[in-house]
Amino acid sequence: MQKKAELYRGKAKTVYATESSDFLILEFRNDTSALDGQRIEQFDRKGMVNNKFNHFIMNKLEEAGIPTQMERLLSDNEVLVKKLDMVPVECVIRNRAAGSLVKRLGIEEGTLLNPPIFDLFLKDDARHDPMVNESYCETFGWVSKENLAEMKRLSYKANDVLSELFDKAGLILVDFKLEFGLFHGKVVLGDEFSPDGSRLWDKNTLDKMDKDRFRQSLGGLIEAYEEVARRIGVSLD
Ligand code: TMP
């Protein structure tokens, strides 16, 4: 498949059309952003690491019966994916308290959340991705009740698969964000899964191995991403 027109430039990826209306090419760039895109820096190898990381995870999820947009790796920083009609709502699963949950409720970071929490955020950088709920989705027509129920089911299923995968690699899956879309009417997982949109802590040291290293200026961002990739078996060569 050939790259055609640039359709959309996100904070860390650029989306290109292809000669087929059913497929897109995602290009993972070296950019890392925080504060809804107000702070952006480049890190060598980041595009490659996240592209291969995402490809690996999406394949694991697909094998577990979760439909994903993944088709195939095209290069170090490009993948071919199905073109989805994206739902403008982010699904977040939280196994432990961190980030905005800690800020909002004052719960101690790391507190186990049982059962894991399912949160929804509207994709709207200008309004800092406000938290919404299932009722908002229905009223504003962002996604049907049935499709949202499927997104929730698939998010919890992904949590089961990925919590086990990271646990075996000595890592705690603290929380993560997923984005879904519709492909010919069916709910399919899109966007990416990488340490940019998840929190991963070392099981023994509780070291942060994800984008919080950038958000909190801890340093060693790419080294941490590569360590996580190595532990779960992603080939970065
Ligand atoms: P939060 O603690 O900021 O609500 O984020 C929860 C998890 O979801 C965390 O792993 C980061 C991820 N996330 C994104 O990647 N993008 C977003 O826009 C939001 C709201 C969360």
Side-chain angles (χ1 to χ4, degrees), residues 11 43 52 85 121 159 163 169-170 176 179-180 185-186 203:
K11 292 187 289 269
F43 291 89
K52 292 185 176 175
D85 183 9
F121 295 91
N159 189 40
S163 291
F176 61 93
E179 294 183 31
F180 293 89
K186 180 183 163 200
K203 244 199 300 195

Side-chain angles (χ1 to χ4, degrees), residues 90 92 94 98-100 121 129 175 177 196-199 215:
E90 301 180 337
V92 169
R94 301 177 189 275
S100 69
F121 295 91
D129 291 347
D175 59 27
K177 179 258 306 177
D196 271 4
S198 57
R199 289 193 172 93
R215 295 187 191 98

